[in-house]
Amino acid sequence: MKNFVYSIPTKIFFGKGQIEKIGTEILKYGKKVLLVYGKGSIKSNGIYDKVIEILKENEIEYFELGGIDPNPRTESVYKGAEICKENKVDLILAMGGGSTIDCAKAISLQSKYDGDFWEDLYINGRKDLIKEVTPVASILTLSATGSEMNGNSVISKKESNLKVGFSHEKIKPVFSVEDPEYTYSVNKYQTCAGAIDIMSHLFEQYFSTEKDGFLQNRLIEGILKTVIHYAPIAIENPKDYEARANIMWASSLGLNELVSYGKLSTDWATHNIEHQLSAVYDITHGIGLGILTPAWMKYVLSENNIHRFVDYGKNIWNLSGTDMEIAEKSIEKTKEFFTSLGCPSSLSEINIDDTHFEKMAENAVARGAFGSMKKLNKEDVIAIYKLAL
């Protein structure tokens, strides 16, 4: 196990009615807040009205940036940052799922930065340029990305068909409200996509060629089994509180660094490949992951890494047989589970062909070969896209 620094600073208010705490928490940072939200669900489910009521009760001045896209755009970041600068905003409150929270994090960076967040930070990775940010907080309405409890942000620039991630300690939310009841209105398709997104985050940290990380891998398996158990229940009965609660907490634990602290390596190839897919086609991230993950698994499986597939097959799916039989069957079981939730089984099923594969693969390897289970180059990425057709 390698050295690590344990740092998960986000304060979580989990459970029914915890939104009542936001007034007191916001006042710790100031009296001006920017509300960032998507395209209307928080206004139809009552969350918006409740937040405004609490802000008024606490004499907190608020500004608004609505209409955030599911794959948030650079334009929204610039607009939000301008609001923050003009009004000296003290805190940014994201209300929604991972895309909204990711956008709020990018706004927090640009709001205190004189350069261009996209070129300097997201494209060139210059973390050293970040001196100050506007604090971010969130009210979570979709269990998927873990953005409510981590320092990651993914933004799209539509005109160049690029989708790029960035991470920094300073953009971890200072607090997040997680009320499972706020996910009751999430439809079956988005619940499916969210569950797959959570599982994919866990896969990216689980699959590695090394045989280290015994404790971390057992933690990951426990969270995976939780999602596998409760996702079908939440899809069948959207108002099952226990199912929604377990999935929501699995989302946070799945990508807040807890399960990867001390591991020698993680992978993240599938996410990189999918980012290029949703950058071009603007599809739901979790759906893209659901289609690509089995193809990636099949492509990278080798004698060098089969031990991880064997652990996965035995401990998650209770499989037996030879090592190769277990590994191959575990990939089949993964695909079967995704499709049982309602995920399309192939790219062609969502009308995606090979037209843009070459350009998408070029973007994927723009910073060089990637992945720890198998180093992937441009040709490898194209092959995985083709396997997913």
Side-chain angles (χ1 to χ4, degrees), residues 192-194 196-197 274 283-291 343:
C192 162
I196 293 172
D197 200 359
E274 197 290 323
I283 62 172
T284 301
H285 178 53
I287 297 301
L289 291 170
I291 295 170
C343 181

Side-chain angles (χ1 to χ4, degrees), residues 14 25 47 61 63 76 79 103 162 166 179 181 192 208 217 229 232 239 248 266 294 299 309 342 366 370:
F14 192 97
E25 290 300 313
I47 297 173
E61 186 177 2
F63 308 89
S76 296
K79 189 181 299 183
C103 187
L162 286 175
F166 181 77
D179 185 338
E181 292 186 324
C192 162
S208 57
N217 291 332
H229 176 75
K239 293 187 178 181
M248 180 170 268
T266 53
Y299 188 80
F309 286 96
F370 57 92

